């Protein structure tokens, strides 16, 4: 049922719109979005690597990029390895901060939301520190898990910060901050 605000003095009736605060995930998406198109190791990408390592290190940077923007939101998941970051997210969720889903254990959510942190496993059944893997952030408002692909914004995607579609079958875990 629709709600309205009625000014009894003027007789004006206006629709009531409740302000829904932005989630940490939506804020995380927006932090990435403002730098979409930045190539490695220019601009913010160089800044991310210097923030993480203390100097410009030309190494895989998907996890350091997520770490950098998550840090700005107070999410303590700083890691250079995707699996190490995944474990930090899992621990946060176990302490009541966010929700963690994993294909092998609890199962993935039916819907992925914008700003969810997505962990991709390219080969094998279990993610380890040495697995072929990736991390990024859901770029769509909502995606059904039955979809063939999930648009993901992140670092080290085609050597830049950009949106790429990844095969949902390779989605290993989801952290909803």
């Amino acid at each position: 049922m629709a709600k309205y605000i009625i000014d009894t003095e003027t007789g004006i009736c206006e629709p009531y719109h409740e302000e829904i605060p932005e989630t940490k995930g939506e804020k995380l998406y927006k932090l990435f979005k403002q730098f979409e198109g930045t190539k490695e190791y220019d601009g913010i990408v160089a800044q991310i690597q210097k923030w993480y390592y203390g100097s410009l290190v030309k190494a895989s940077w998907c996890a350091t990029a997520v770490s950098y923007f998550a840090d700005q939101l107070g999410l303590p998941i700083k890691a250079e390895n995707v699996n190490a970051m995944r474990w930090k997210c899992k621990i946060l969720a176990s302490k009541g901060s966010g929700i963690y889903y994993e294909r092998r254990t609890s199962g993935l959510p039916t819907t992925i939301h914008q700003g969810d942190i997505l962990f991709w496993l390219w080969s094998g059944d279990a993610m380890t520190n040495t697995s072929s893997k990736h991390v990024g952030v859901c770029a769509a408002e909502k995606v059904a898990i039955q979809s063939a692909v999930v648009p993901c914004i992140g670092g080290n995607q085609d050597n830049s910060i950009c949106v790429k579609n990844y095969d949902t079958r390779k989605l290993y875990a989801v952290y909803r901050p």
Side-chain angles (χ1 to χ4, degrees), residues 54-71:
S55 63
L56 178 58
V57 173
K58 295 184 177 182
S60 295
W61 53 281
C62 63
T64 57
V66 173
S67 293
Y68 179 81
F69 292 123
D71 183 72

Side-chain angles (χ1 to χ4, degrees), residues 72-109:
Q72 292 179 30
L73 300 173
L75 289 171
I77 59 171
K78 186 176 181 181
E80 67 178 332
N81 183 283
V82 172
N83 193 47
M85 178 179 283
R86 180 182 68 83
W87 275 104
K88 288 181 179 193
C89 290
K90 190 172 185 175
I91 290 166
L92 276 178
S94 74
K95 293 179 179 179
S97 181
I99 305 168
Y100 177 83
Y101 305 90
E102 188 177 306
R103 184 180 296 276
R104 292 176 359 132
T105 55
S106 59
L108 296 174

Side-chain angles (χ1 to χ4, degrees), residues 1-120:
M1 175 184 283
K3 294 181 181 182
Y4 297 90
I5 297 176
I6 301 171
D7 184 330
T8 55
E9 290 180 12
T10 62
I12 296 173
C13 179
E14 296 177 348
Y16 172 75
H17 300 288
E18 189 172 342
E19 292 291 322
I20 300 171
E22 245 181 350
T23 66
K24 279 191 178 182
E26 290 165 333
K27 290 176 184 177
L28 182 60
Y29 164 75
K30 286 183 177 179
L31 287 171
F32 265 105
K33 185 71 177 163
Q34 68 183 330
F35 295 105
E36 187 173 10
T38 306
K39 298 286 185 189
E40 67 180 19
Y41 291 91
D42 298 330
I44 191 69
V45 179
Q47 188 175 326
I48 289 167
Q49 295 299 84
K50 288 175 185 173
W51 167 83
Y52 192 90
Y53 297 106
S55 63
L56 178 58
V57 173
K58 295 184 177 182
S60 295
W61 53 281
C62 63
T64 57
V66 173
S67 293
Y68 179 81
F69 292 123
D71 183 72
Q72 292 179 30
L73 300 173
L75 289 171
I77 59 171
K78 186 176 181 181
E80 67 178 332
N81 183 283
V82 172
N83 193 47
M85 178 179 283
R86 180 182 68 83
W87 275 104
K88 288 181 179 193
C89 290
K90 190 172 185 175
I91 290 166
L92 276 178
S94 74
K95 293 179 179 179
S97 181
I99 305 168
Y100 177 83
Y101 305 90
E102 188 177 306
R103 184 180 296 276
R104 292 176 359 132
T105 55
S106 59
L108 296 174
T110 56
T111 305
I112 300 167
H113 299 178
Q114 187 174 69
D116 285 354
I117 299 174
L118 308 175
F119 296 91
W120 305 93

Side-chain angles (χ1 to χ4, degrees), residues 157-170:
Q157 298 184 167
D158 290 338
N159 302 321
S160 66
I161 294 175
C162 68
V163 176
K164 285 189 74 169
N165 289 324
Y166 291 115
D167 186 339
T168 308
R169 294 173 298 178
K170 299 293 184 177

